[in-house]
Amino acid sequence: MVFAVVLIVVVALLAGVHRYLWRRFVGDTTAPGSVLRRTGTVAAVVLPLLSAGALVAGRAGAPFWLQRLLAWPGYLWLACLLYLTLALLVGEAVRPVLRRVLARRGPERPAESAAAPAHESAEVLVRPGAADAGTPEQAGPATAPGASEDAPRPPLAPEPGPSRRLFVARAVGGAAAVAGFGTVGYGTYGVLRGPRTKRITVPLARLPRSAHGFRIAVVSDIHLGPILGHAHTRRIVDTINATRPDLIAVVGDLVDGSVADLGPAAEPLADLEARHGSFFVTGNHEYFSGAAEWVDHVRELGLHPLENARVEIDGFDLAGVNDVAGESEGHGPDFDRALGDRDPARAVVLMAHQPVVIDDAVAHGVDLQLSGHTHGGQLWPGNLVAELANPTVAGLERYGDTQLYVSRGAGAWGPPVRVGAPSDVTVVELASRQA
């Protein structure tokens, strides 16, 4: 019942937003019956249907080719919908100001009309001798009685043009379209060009001198799917390898689909290079995509899954826990299993996809937790929403004796667009306070 109510509210909200966009971009700026109005109306119906199809195709088991066909236009329209709406809302404040400015420049011009103005009507000349016959002949302008044919004619009335209201609607709508589509275009470029490298230094009290300067390349939220595929993985692998890390931590949400559909897209992961190897923990999206199969597949690619497990690295312990989404399958995070019997004198770095498990990490004496999940909000102002559900949205913060680092991720979920939250691969350099 609750789900049905929420669904109705969401559908009504989206319908209202699309109606608002149609009015401002189409209804206020085009003539009834024109090609532009018909085109805009069709787009206002088709685009939201494509978005709905993109959102449900994967969960509904649609063929992968159909998912790919729907994904680009459907997901991109969701991003366009957000930024076109925000741009129009800003335009609502500009609209009355622009009208006042135009009003000071002169009276409003008459609106465009299909009817011919009076001064353009045909004029009649009566032929000599034919007045009684009543057979008018269309010719040049008739000469009024007593007036000379050479007398100057009165000036024509000014040509009609767009009204002030129409001009303002087109100006604001055009500016909003440039701002909205431009923002989405730049955000798409930011995803498709691949992540940028970010570097931070994290001092750990229990890290020995021998491990000072140890470098961990952290990557999360790659989100291979119907849009981001093999080329996306290759860019990420090349970026990671260029940093020459000592260890690679893949912190969940690698995929949005099955091994059968996305196995080839993940193949470049086999080329990851690090002295102490590459490690993987599940994210919530793995449990939407067949987590057990993906764990086996990444193992075949040379990564080491840490399923509530721990390994000893030179100078510290590296642990990993399953994502909390695995609880629905009986494979959730188990901190006691991963950390319960370790040597408390050794520093421990924990891989956990979601930042929300930080309280468990603190309780088990973790020195540093590496997470992702939030995408840094991905689409501004999504960071404000992400802050409501996560203790840290992006970056490094301290919780008691435990530090938490949250990556913005290297891919994107849904729209392949990032605004205000650039993708990254982070090189975390561990520093010993004993050095």
Side-chain angles (χ1 to χ4, degrees):
M1 180 62 181
V2 174
F3 175 78
V5 172
V6 172
L7 181 62
I8 291 173
V9 171
V10 170
V11 171
L13 178 62
L14 289 176
V17 172
H18 279 89
R19 170 64 182 172
Y20 171 65
L21 261 63
W22 179 90
R23 177 188 169 194
R24 288 307 192 200
F25 284 122
V26 181
D28 290 352
T29 63
T30 61
S34 66
V35 173
L36 287 177
R37 176 164 293 197
R38 289 196 298 267
T39 302
T41 301
V42 170
V45 175
V46 172
L47 289 172
L49 292 178
L50 289 173
S51 296
L55 288 169
V56 305
R59 301 285 180 89
F64 193 61
W65 66 265
L66 180 58
Q67 296 180 41
R68 298 182 66 181
L69 183 66
L70 295 172
W72 273 106
Y75 282 129
L76 279 177
W77 174 245
L78 291 176
C80 291
L81 180 67
L82 171 62
Y83 290 108
L84 289 174
T85 301
L86 291 176
L88 281 178
L89 291 176
V90 173
E92 298 298 344
V94 176
R95 194 181 301 270
V97 176
L98 185 56
R99 284 178 181 166
R100 286 196 294 269
V101 170
L102 293 175
R104 293 174 182 173
R105 299 181 61 180
E108 184 169 1
R109 302 176 71 180
E112 293 175 332
S113 173
H119 70 274
E120 293 181 356
S121 58
E123 294 175 322
V124 174
L125 177 65
V126 178
R127 290 178 299 175
D132 295 336
T135 54
E137 180 179 278
Q138 189 169 353
T143 304
S148 169
E149 292 186 1
D150 297 330
R153 302 175 184 175
L156 296 176
E159 291 292 330
S163 68
R164 185 181 302 143
R165 183 180 297 275
L166 180 60
F167 175 81
V168 170
R170 289 177 175 175
V172 173
V178 170
F181 288 125
T183 298
V184 172
Y186 182 77
T188 303
Y189 167 74
V191 172
L192 298 183
R193 74 182 176 190
R196 291 297 182 254
T197 302
K198 181 179 178 181
R199 299 177 184 271
I200 63 169
T201 299
V202 182
L204 301 181
R206 291 181 289 186
L207 190 74
R209 292 184 186 180
S210 61
H212 181 77
F214 193 97
R215 290 170 297 126
I216 303 174
V218 181
V219 61
S220 73
D221 301 280
I222 295 174
H223 284 289
L224 300 179
I227 291 180
L228 302 176
H230 187 278
H232 178 61
T233 312
R234 172 53 60 190
R235 285 189 292 267
I236 292 171
V237 168
D238 291 345
T239 299
I240 293 173
N241 288 343
T243 68
R244 303 179 64 83
D246 297 305
L247 184 147
I248 298 169
V250 182
V251 198
D253 277 8
L254 171 65
V255 293
D256 284 306
S258 67
V259 173
D261 290 334
L262 296 174
E267 286 179 358
L269 295 174
D271 297 330
L272 288 171
E273 299 175 355
R275 184 162 54 100
H276 291 276
S278 304
F279 296 84
F280 170 81
V281 294
T282 55
N284 55 307
H285 282 248
E286 270 71 61
Y287 292 97
F288 307 148
S289 308
E293 291 183 352
W294 274 110
V295 168
D296 290 341
H297 190 66
V298 298
R299 186 181 285 112
E300 294 172 358
L301 294 174
L303 281 72
H304 307 288
L306 291 176
E307 298 180 275
N308 298 323
R310 182 182 74 256
V311 295
E312 291 187 0
I313 307 295
D314 292 347
F316 67 96
D317 292 340
L318 178 71
V321 292
N322 295 342
D323 186 70
V324 295
E327 293 175 348
S328 62
E329 302 180 8
H331 299 288
D334 189 336
F335 283 84
D336 290 334
R337 180 180 169 189
L339 300 168
D341 59 349
R342 72 180 187 84
D343 181 357
R346 290 173 61 86
V348 59
V349 176
L350 174 70
M351 296 168 58
H353 177 64
Q354 297 196 40
V356 294
V357 300
I358 184 61
D359 291 337
D360 293 297
V362 172
H364 286 81
V366 169
D367 295 86
L368 172 64
Q369 175 179 320
L370 303 174
S371 297
H373 183 65
T374 68
H375 297 206
Q378 185 169 326
L379 297 171
W380 184 91
N383 58 305
L384 303 179
V385 178
E387 288 175 357
L388 300 177
N390 298 277
T392 298
V393 174
L396 183 68
E397 291 188 358
R398 177 177 289 276
Y399 295 84
D401 293 330
T402 301
Q403 297 181 79
L404 169 63
Y405 178 74
V406 180
S407 168
R408 291 189 177 95
W413 180 83
V417 183
R418 282 179 172 266
V419 177
S423 58
D424 66 70
V425 166
T426 304
V427 178
V428 177
E429 183 172 324
L430 305 181
S432 172
R433 291 180 177 174
Q434 304 172 25

